[in-house]
Amino acid sequence: MAQAAAKHGENHAHGHDHGHHDPQEMKILGFWFFLISDVILFSVLFATFIVLRDNTAGGPILSELIKMPGVIAETFLLLTSSFTSGLAVLAMNQGKVKQLINWLIVTAVLGAGFLALEIYEFVEMVHEGFSYTTSAASGAFFTLVGTHGLHVSLGLIWMIGLMLQLKKRGITDVTRGKINVISLYWHFLDVVWIFLLSIVYLMGVM
């Protein structure tokens, strides 16, 4: 009878283990669902822009406003920041906290530079008469590109918060999971930018 009770306890414990979910795994799974919803969001915004990009209502044409040197500089900054975020993950895997934080700082600075150039681009377009309410084309452009810029801004705030956590707690299972997630998020923003570069800017100047 004692053996039966022990076996029952073992089975109960085993069943409990199977019912237990790792919080970090659940957070990563939730983040994947978030990315999927973002893919849907950007797909809708891209489709809307493609449909409306010629509806200028007699206002300025996007091809006349795009300045490729600035766009190339934005691309360089964002793609380089993706590389440095990868170096941050590498430093984390090696247990180098200081190096990890330094690479995150570099990534954040590059991201901030990208945002500064994008804001400057928007201001110049508005001065040329191409504002959000000028036409359906301008509204679609600012909504699409601005949504990406908003995501970059949120990523920077998130990254700064992670750096503060790393200084306080170091590399733990929790911070490790968060660094992996922010790196994945940052790479996703780079992929979206490549589509923006191709569909909005390169096709826009043709």
Side-chain angles (χ1 to χ4, degrees):
M1 186 170 181
Q3 289 180 345
K7 186 175 181 180
H8 173 75
E10 183 180 344
N11 289 338
H12 177 75
H14 190 259
H16 179 74
D17 289 341
H18 274 291
H20 177 72
H21 297 285
D22 184 355
Q24 287 302 116
E25 290 182 359
M26 294 301 295
K27 288 179 182 178
I28 292 175
L29 179 62
F31 182 73
W32 275 109
F33 281 116
F34 166 75
L35 279 189
I36 291 171
S37 67
D38 250 14
V39 169
I40 296 172
L41 170 64
F42 278 109
S43 298
V44 172
L45 294 179
F46 273 111
T48 303
F49 172 79
I50 291 171
V51 171
L52 299 177
R53 64 183 175 184
D54 294 325
N55 297 334
T56 60
I61 301 173
L62 185 59
S63 59
E64 300 173 348
L65 301 172
I66 293 175
K67 297 177 181 177
M68 287 310 295
V71 175
I72 291 171
E74 290 176 44
T75 303
F76 173 78
L77 289 173
L78 197 60
L79 294 185
T80 303
S81 73
S82 183
F83 175 70
T84 56
S85 73
L87 293 177
V89 173
L90 181 61
M92 177 190 70
N93 292 334
Q94 295 173 344
K96 300 177 180 178
V97 181
K98 185 176 180 180
Q99 195 174 86
L100 165 59
I101 294 174
N102 287 340
W103 282 122
L104 287 176
I105 291 173
V106 174
T107 302
V109 169
L110 291 169
F114 166 84
L115 278 179
L117 288 177
E118 188 166 82
I119 292 171
Y120 176 78
E121 175 190 35
F122 284 1
V123 171
E124 288 291 301
M125 286 183 170
V126 171
H127 285 166
E128 294 290 332
F130 191 78
S131 67
Y132 185 84
T133 57
T134 300
S135 63
S138 65
F141 169 82
F142 282 109
T143 300
L144 174 56
V145 181
T147 299
H148 177 265
L150 177 62
H151 277 68
V152 174
S153 300
L154 293 174
L156 290 177
I157 296 171
W158 185 5
M159 206 174 294
I160 292 171
L162 285 179
M163 284 187 271
L164 294 176
Q165 285 188 21
L166 286 167
K167 284 186 176 181
K168 184 177 180 180
R169 304 177 185 175
I171 299 175
T172 65
D173 288 340
V174 174
T175 54
R176 185 183 297 274
K178 290 180 179 180
I179 294 299
N180 283 326
V181 167
I182 186 64
S183 180
L184 180 62
Y185 176 78
W186 206 252
H187 291 316
F188 168 73
L189 295 182
D190 276 358
V191 172
V192 174
W193 177 254
I194 293 299
F195 280 98
L196 280 169
L197 176 66
S198 304
I199 296 173
V200 176
Y201 292 100
L202 295 181
M203 290 179 63
V205 297
M206 292 180 180

